[in-house]
């Protein structure tokens, strides 16, 4: 007799959703995770909680004119599908778009997930029609941030305790296969851990386990903390990867289950498609190894490469993450700089992560009004200004450049050239119109009330009087920070894992980042943001329902 109807490997968001769906269908579920109960929810708990929705009530109230057709054009322009193995990723992309424009909003509400009313505009693109970027704001922040997405499913599993058993510190190292069918999972029981959420945990084994089930759902995440794997599969090979990277995910995001599933017959595709950010800074209070935080910047800072040269249009903050990353690495250095002033920091600098947004995470209107209203610098951002190793301030450009060069230990940036860039930019601001493409993009973005009221500082001169209200100049050293695996296990539209021959591997399903959020990479080369949590929700729902219907 099997130990359970279904085994779910990974207690992150996709695994939680799959387990809930299967249990609600009357199936017994074993949910296995190599971490302890303190890390239940995985990476999703740490997220800002952004969700991609199309033509939502929130958008319509803000007079955002979105549609399923426009979202499809934006997605396909961003994805750039161009490989034979993109058949299932393309099909998943269409299925997810249908979900995001249809049932998703009502389903989220039925699960107890609420949304902040002001929709954010991520990955703006800035290219011609049909190319990468969101034509309109679609990034809906969960009221409650990452925990606000995770907690409803944690609570539901507690209600379904008679059908769902969670076994923590169970590290799966093999899937058992009988006559071509996956029949269970085996691995090590790790010693208990006393660490907190996200902290590195022991890999010392104190026992072994073998469990059987009618189906196995792999929802184990990607490879973002395993820099060896990141470099191995970097586009262009390890030599093209950055020499130094920060980690945007806990150490447990190690990619172990991807290779375990491959050994059991599953096919991994698009492994060179990844989603890493160039705007990472070192966390002044790290939780995991190499802990980095991404700056979520509005479009106003000047973005300079390691040599002080301005990134070309449209590589402005928040417009094209992959394009900016590629350009920065092409310079031969992996770091770059934001240059702005204190008056711009307040409205335009956000930080990724639930822990960096306590007002959203705690669902506190009072905190929101007292820490953000009027373009204030939030306490978490102020902490980085005060304690962050990558944050520099000075009254003048020459002083600031001297500190930039001292921080990297080389005189890479020429103060006179940066002074010239600032002067030219300020002359364009002074006109009130101007031809500079970044200022034109800012003016266009400020036509949207959400940006004008909450996100973008009024254009002003950077080289003005530091005591005249704009404050001192600020430079922030930016590093590459790892985040998401866009490729993964190839699955059909039921979440069934496919083998190298294109046939279904019986008894095996995958969801979340392990499946490239669906199909082995539904994003293609680029993400429109808000689609990672949404991809976990959608693919976990699909895999949980399909597996429960097959056993």
């Amino acid at each position: 007799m099997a130990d359970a109807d279904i085994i779910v490997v990974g207690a992150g968001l996709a695994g939680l959703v799959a387990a809930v769906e299967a249990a609600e269908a009357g199936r017994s579920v074993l949910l296995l995770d190599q971490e302890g109960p303190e890390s239940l929810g995985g990476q999703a708990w740490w997220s800002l909680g952004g969700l991609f929705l199309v033509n939502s009530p929130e958008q319509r109230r803000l007079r955002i004119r979105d549609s399923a057709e426009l979202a499809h054009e934006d997605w396909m322009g961003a994805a750039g599908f161009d490989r034979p193995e993109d058949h299932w990723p393309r099909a998943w992309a269409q299925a997810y778009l249908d979900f995001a424009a249809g049932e998703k909003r009502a389903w989220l509400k039925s699960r107890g997930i609420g949304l902040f009313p002001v929709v954010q505009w991520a990955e703006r693109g800035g290219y011609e029609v049909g190319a990468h970027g969101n034509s309109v704001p679609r990034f809906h922040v969960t009221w409650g941030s990452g925990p606000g997405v995770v907690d409803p499913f944690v609570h539901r599993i507690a209600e379904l305790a008679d059908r769902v058993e969670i076994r923590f510190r169970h590290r799966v190292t093999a899937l058992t296969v009988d006559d071509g069918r996956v029949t269970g999972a085996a691995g090590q029981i790790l010693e208990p851990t006393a660490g907190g959420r996200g902290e590195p945990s022991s890999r010392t084994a104190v026992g072994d386990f073998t469990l059987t089930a009618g189906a196995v759902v792999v929802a184990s995440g990607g490879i973002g903390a395993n820099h060896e794997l990141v470099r191995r599969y970097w586009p262009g090979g390890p030599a093209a990867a950055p020499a130094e990277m920060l980690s945007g995910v806990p150490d447990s995001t190690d990619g172990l289950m991807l290779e375990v599933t491959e050994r059991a017959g599953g096919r991994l595709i698009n492994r060179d498609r990844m989603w890493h950010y160039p705007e990472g800074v070192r966390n002044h209070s790290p939780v995991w190894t190499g802990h980095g935080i991404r700056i979520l910047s509005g479009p106003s800072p000047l973005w300079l490469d390691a040599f002080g040269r301005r990134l070309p249009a449209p590589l402005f903050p928040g417009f094209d993450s992959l394009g900016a990353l590629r350009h920065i690495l092409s310079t031969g250095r992996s770091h770059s700089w934001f240059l702005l002033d204190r008056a711009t920091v307040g409205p335009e600098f956000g930080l990724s992560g639930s822990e960096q947004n306590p007002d959203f995470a705690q669902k506190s209107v009072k905190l929101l009004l007292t820490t953000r209203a009027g373009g204030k610098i939030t306490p978490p951002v102020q902490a980085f200004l005060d304690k962050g190793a990558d944050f520099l301030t000075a009254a003048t450009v020459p002083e600031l450049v001297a500190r930039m060069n001292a921080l990297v230990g080389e005189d890479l940036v020429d103060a006179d050239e940066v002074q010239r860039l600032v002067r030219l930019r300020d002359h364009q601001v002074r006109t009130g119109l101007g031809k500079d493409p970044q200022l034109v993009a800012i003016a266009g973005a400020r036509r949207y009330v959400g940006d004008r009221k909450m996100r973008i500082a009024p254009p002003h001169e950077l080289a003005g009087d530091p005591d005249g209200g704009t404050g001192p100049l600020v430079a922030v050293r930016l590093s590459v920070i790892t985040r998401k695996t866009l490729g993964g296990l190839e699955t059909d539209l039921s979440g069934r894992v496919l083998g190298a021959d294109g046939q279904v591997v019986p008894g095996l399903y995958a969801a979340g980042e392990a499946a490239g959020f669906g199909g082995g990479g539904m994003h293609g080369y680029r993400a429109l943001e808000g689609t990672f949590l949404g991809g976990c929700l959608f693919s976990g729902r699909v895999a949980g329902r399909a597996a429960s219907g097959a056993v």
Side-chain angles (χ1 to χ4, degrees):
M1 181 178 178
D3 295 291
D5 293 324
I6 296 169
I7 290 173
V8 177
V9 182
L13 181 59
L16 291 172
V17 175
V20 166
E21 291 287 346
E24 288 180 341
R27 303 295 180 260
S28 61
V29 181
L30 279 175
L31 181 55
L32 311 180
D33 198 278
Q34 64 181 346
E35 298 304 307
E38 66 282 342
S39 291
L40 185 62
Q43 298 177 53
W45 188 94
W46 294 95
S47 73
L48 180 58
L51 294 168
F52 177 94
L53 290 164
V54 178
N55 193 24
S56 69
E58 289 76 17
Q59 288 175 300
R60 294 194 294 272
R61 280 194 289 267
L62 294 166
R63 298 183 180 179
I64 298 168
R65 298 177 180 176
D66 200 6
S67 68
E69 293 78 11
L70 182 62
H72 180 272
E73 291 167 359
D74 287 350
W75 190 291
M76 295 306 167
F81 294 122
D82 61 358
R83 296 173 176 174
E85 55 266 42
D86 283 333
H87 169 76
W88 288 113
R90 189 189 298 270
W92 268 89
Q94 185 59 62
Y96 180 69
L97 284 166
D98 293 342
F99 180 60
E103 184 186 356
K104 183 178 180 181
R105 178 67 176 77
W107 183 75
L108 291 172
K109 185 177 180 180
S110 74
R111 289 296 185 184
I113 297 173
L115 303 174
F116 186 65
V118 181
V119 185
Q120 303 297 311
W121 200 345
E123 287 295 302
R124 301 168 190 244
Y127 300 98
E128 71 279 359
V129 294
H132 172 64
N134 282 297
S135 299
V136 297
R138 297 190 176 107
F139 191 85
H140 297 63
V141 179
T142 301
W143 191 230
S145 195
V149 181
V150 170
D151 288 350
F153 296 98
V154 173
H155 296 155
R156 184 62 178 137
I157 281 181
E159 295 172 346
L160 295 164
D162 60 328
R163 298 178 197 164
V164 181
E165 180 185 352
I166 307 178
R167 296 192 183 181
F168 296 107
R169 305 297 283 160
H170 278 57
R171 189 175 196 233
V172 176
T173 58
L175 296 177
T176 54
V177 181
D178 184 10
D179 195 25
R181 182 180 185 85
V182 172
T183 57
Q188 301 171 326
I189 301 172
L190 305 179
E191 67 179 357
T193 176
R197 180 183 289 274
E199 294 179 5
S201 62
S202 168
R203 291 294 178 262
T204 299
V206 294
D208 299 308
F209 70 88
T210 300
L211 298 166
T212 59
V216 175
V217 179
V218 175
S220 54
I223 65 172
N226 189 333
H227 289 194
E228 179 187 351
L229 287 183
V230 170
R231 288 191 170 92
R232 183 187 307 173
Y233 296 109
W234 194 273
E244 180 183 6
M245 295 181 287
L246 303 175
S247 282
V249 293
D251 293 45
S252 56
T253 313
D254 56 16
L256 169 67
M257 276 303 301
L258 294 176
E259 296 186 357
V260 167
T261 309
E262 191 174 32
R263 291 199 299 271
R267 182 190 184 201
L268 285 164
I269 60 174
N270 298 319
R271 296 198 70 164
D272 60 330
R273 292 180 181 168
M274 308 177 195
W275 192 246
H276 307 309
Y277 295 108
E279 312 106 317
V281 292
R282 289 157 182 79
N283 194 343
H284 56 78
S285 303
V287 176
W288 54 77
T289 306
H291 191 170
I293 298 292
R294 183 196 177 202
I295 293 180
L296 303 171
S297 178
S300 298
L302 285 174
W303 200 343
L304 311 178
D305 68 17
F307 301 95
R309 300 171 301 210
R310 194 175 179 187
L311 269 62
L315 302 182
F316 315 129
F319 276 64
D320 179 4
S321 296
L322 181 59
L325 177 64
R326 287 172 171 172
H327 178 83
I328 289 164
L329 294 182
S330 74
T331 68
R333 302 284 179 138
S334 59
H335 75 276
S336 60
W337 298 93
F338 279 162
L339 194 155
L340 63 163
D341 59 16
R342 189 176 177 87
T344 306
V345 170
E348 299 212 11
F349 264 20
L351 300 169
S352 66
S354 57
E355 82 284 14
Q356 302 296 335
N357 296 273
D359 46 357
F360 283 94
Q362 297 172 27
K363 301 182 181 181
S364 173
V365 175
K366 181 179 178 181
L367 269 181
L368 181 72
L369 293 176
T370 56
T371 62
R372 293 184 192 260
K376 295 176 183 176
I377 297 175
T378 65
V381 172
Q382 185 62 54
F384 273 89
L385 285 167
D386 295 338
K387 298 184 288 186
D390 297 306
F391 287 70
L392 306 170
T393 60
T396 67
V397 169
E399 291 176 84
L400 191 65
V401 170
R403 293 180 181 181
M404 292 161 65
N405 286 330
L407 183 62
V408 300
E410 295 182 77
D411 291 336
L412 299 180
V413 181
D414 182 82
D416 291 338
E417 178 58 21
V418 175
Q419 185 104 39
R420 184 185 73 86
L421 285 174
V422 170
R423 183 176 66 253
L424 290 172
R425 176 209 175 270
D426 285 355
H427 287 169
Q428 293 291 304
V429 171
R430 198 175 303 163
T431 68
L433 295 170
K435 64 184 180 182
D436 182 83
Q438 184 171 8
L439 294 174
V440 171
I442 291 168
R446 281 177 59 82
R447 292 167 53 198
Y448 168 51
V449 64
D451 278 344
R452 187 170 65 252
K453 296 294 185 182
M454 291 192 63
R455 192 66 175 131
I456 301 180
H460 58 274
E461 296 180 39
L462 286 177
D465 180 3
D467 299 320
T470 64
L473 293 171
V474 177
V476 184
R477 179 179 61 180
L478 308 171
S479 301
V480 176
I481 179 171
T482 63
R483 188 61 62 87
K484 296 299 180 186
T485 310
L486 295 188
L489 294 164
E490 187 178 26
T491 62
D492 66 10
L493 285 177
S494 295
R496 300 181 299 178
V497 175
L498 306 180
D501 59 358
Q503 300 301 306
V504 169
V505 179
L508 184 58
Y509 298 77
E513 191 175 353
F517 304 94
M522 74 172 186
H523 295 91
Y525 290 94
R526 281 177 165 92
L528 291 176
E529 294 291 11
T531 56
F532 300 131
L533 291 180
C536 288
L537 291 167
F538 182 57
S539 62
R541 190 177 88 145
V542 167
R545 291 180 178 184
S548 64
V551 298

